[in-house]
Amino acid sequence: MDIILKYFPDLTEDQKNKFARLKPLYEEWNEKINVISRKDMEHFYERHVLHSLGIAKVMEFQPGTKVLDIGTGGGFPGIPLAILFPDCHFHLVDSIGKKITVVKEVAKALKLSNVEAQQTRAEDLVRKYDFIVSRAVTRFANFYPWVKGKFRKEDFNEFPNGIFLLKGGDVDEEMEERPVSYVTYHLDDYFKEEFFDTKKVVYVPWEGKR
């Protein structure tokens, strides 16, 4: 938990409490439904929570922002971002029901009223969002068709509406499979732990939304 306070020192008491409760909640659920590898649970705050919050180091979502988390798995990056941005709405989706069960129960235990969890495929959604986030679900060439037509027209955040992806390794080869503009932010510019040496946030403005 200290690692979160190190990089986000201005949390409210309520936010500190919610972040502190995350690990025991996931440990409890992991015994029933394996959503995080045992090895990764030892580095839970670094590799899951702080990694998810890397998006918040790149951009701060304004109140009222609607965010879709595709392939959320056990709730990452959506749950940590929802704790950090309580005035934004987060829709977390995954095609695997048991993972969504965990997300729903964690959100309920923490009283995260700004989180909605749903078992569905991204391409079946009809709602529109300001931003779409995702963590290493699939290659961008596969991901790109899922999000067409899912962006709201009006921009009111610092960045134009678009996609924030958490990626590792060499992203250029992957991103250039589609004719899109993108910006890569290196997480080792924000976080000093070795885990982040190869981790990146890739922002893709949705130029086709208008």
Side-chain angles (χ1 to χ4, degrees):
M1 178 58 197
D2 291 346
I3 199 170
I4 306 302
L5 295 173
K6 175 180 170 184
Y7 293 109
F8 294 91
D10 301 325
L11 297 175
T12 65
E13 287 306 312
D14 183 57
Q15 288 171 321
K16 288 176 190 174
N17 177 49
K18 285 181 164 75
F19 278 124
R21 290 180 62 200
L22 273 183
K23 189 176 184 188
L25 275 170
Y26 276 102
E27 282 175 335
E28 185 185 333
W29 275 101
N30 227 34
E31 292 298 317
K32 306 171 197 170
I33 300 169
N34 192 251
V35 287
I36 294 171
S37 76
R38 294 258 159 82
K39 191 180 73 172
D40 263 7
M41 276 311 297
E42 294 168 28
H43 307 280
F44 175 76
Y45 281 105
E46 177 185 282
R47 296 185 181 179
H48 294 280
V49 183
L50 191 61
H51 189 208
S52 297
L53 296 177
I55 291 170
K57 285 296 186 186
V58 174
M59 193 195 77
E60 189 170 332
F61 295 116
Q62 292 300 306
T65 300
K66 294 186 185 299
V67 183
L68 171 66
D69 177 3
I70 292 179
T72 189
F76 302 96
I79 294 273
L81 290 171
I83 295 173
L84 195 65
F85 299 112
D87 297 323
C88 300
H89 182 268
F90 291 84
H91 188 186
L92 280 53
V93 302
D94 202 284
S95 60
I96 299 170
K98 63 184 182 181
K99 291 184 177 178
I100 287 298
T101 297
V102 175
V103 176
K104 284 181 176 176
E105 292 299 327
V106 168
K108 191 164 119 188
L110 295 178
K111 296 185 168 60
L112 291 175
S113 58
N114 61 333
V115 169
E116 175 186 356
Q118 183 182 4
Q119 180 189 358
T120 186
R121 295 165 65 83
E123 52 268 49
D124 295 335
L125 294 169
V126 294
R127 266 189 260 169
K128 294 192 179 341
Y129 306 86
D130 300 297
F131 293 95
I132 293 177
V133 299
S134 196
R135 181 171 77 152
V137 173
T138 184
R139 286 184 77 80
F140 184 68
N142 303 325
F143 186 87
Y144 186 74
W146 297 350
V147 301
K148 282 187 175 175
K150 290 190 172 46
F151 293 92
R152 296 165 87 185
K153 288 200 168 90
E154 304 76 23
D155 299 319
F156 66 94
N157 279 271
E158 177 190 350
F159 286 58
N161 296 351
I163 307 165
F164 285 102
L165 300 169
L166 288 162
K167 292 278 186 186
D170 179 13
V171 297
D172 293 330
E173 180 192 348
E174 176 183 342
M175 296 304 296
E176 283 161 13
E177 292 173 0
R178 289 277 181 175
V180 297
S181 59
Y182 66 95
V183 185
T184 303
Y185 297 87
H186 296 255
L187 286 180
D188 61 358
D189 287 340
Y190 307 99
F191 305 138
K192 297 309 169 199
E193 287 70 21
E194 190 180 326
F195 174 74
F196 296 103
D197 287 355
T198 60
K199 299 291 186 285
K200 301 170 181 77
V201 172
V202 181
Y203 165 63
V204 183
W206 192 255
E207 293 164 348
K209 68 180 185 292
R210 292 188 175 82

